[in-house]
Amino acid sequence: VSLHDGAGLEWRRAADPLSREPADRAAFGVPLRSGRLPGGADSARNAAALLHAALIAGALEAALDMAVDYANTRKQFGRPIGAFQAVQQQLAVCASEAAAAAVACAAAGRAADRRGLEDAGFEIGSAKVVAGEAAGTGGAIAHQ
């Protein structure tokens, strides 16, 4: 898929460095196929911002899943650490951050569907900010 606004947006199939699974990567470069986004450069930037916000939200959800799995597997004092209230509270905060990012991305996507990418800049920008802040808080908790 290629989007033109003067500079092409090229999708590449590459292996993810962590999981070594195939993953799509977007990079500016020579387009594979020609097409146009309505609105030009603003639409392309908003599409990229929405994509990044959604990627952040998905990564945070995956980190939460891994943290919950670890908390239920790792044992301390004869029971899983997920049974401790302090751990449960931190995982609940992480879950709320992941949900906030997902909801913001969904709202931005609906706004883009209704009004187009160019006119949904506020919602898309808000989703990017919410997802970025959620990643900082949720990522720190998942790392702990």
Side-chain angles (χ1 to χ4, degrees):
V1 173
S2 173
L3 307 174
H4 276 280
D5 64 348
L9 183 62
E10 178 183 352
W11 290 94
R12 297 180 186 162
R13 193 87 160 144
D16 185 281
L18 294 176
S19 67
R20 296 193 178 111
E21 292 290 322
D24 289 334
R25 300 268 188 247
F28 287 99
V30 179
L32 300 176
R33 270 187 267 152
S34 292
R36 287 212 175 268
L37 275 178
D42 287 340
S43 292
R45 276 190 291 276
N46 285 346
L50 182 56
L51 175 65
H52 282 120
L55 288 171
I56 290 169
L60 185 55
E61 189 173 326
L64 173 64
D65 290 343
M66 288 188 279
V68 168
D69 184 52
Y70 180 78
N72 289 328
T73 304
R74 169 83 161 86
K75 294 188 185 222
Q76 189 67 37
F77 306 115
R79 60 186 185 159
I81 63 171
F84 295 103
Q85 187 176 7
V87 174
Q88 292 173 355
Q89 179 187 12
Q90 290 300 306
L91 290 174
V93 171
C94 186
S96 68
E97 294 291 337
V103 166
C105 289
R110 284 191 299 274
D113 281 345
R114 281 193 308 269
R115 298 191 313 267
L117 284 167
E118 192 169 85
D119 294 332
F122 177 78
E123 290 86 351
I124 292 170
S126 297
K128 185 86 186 303
V129 169
V130 169
E133 289 180 0
T137 303
I141 292 169
H143 184 260
Q144 288 291 326

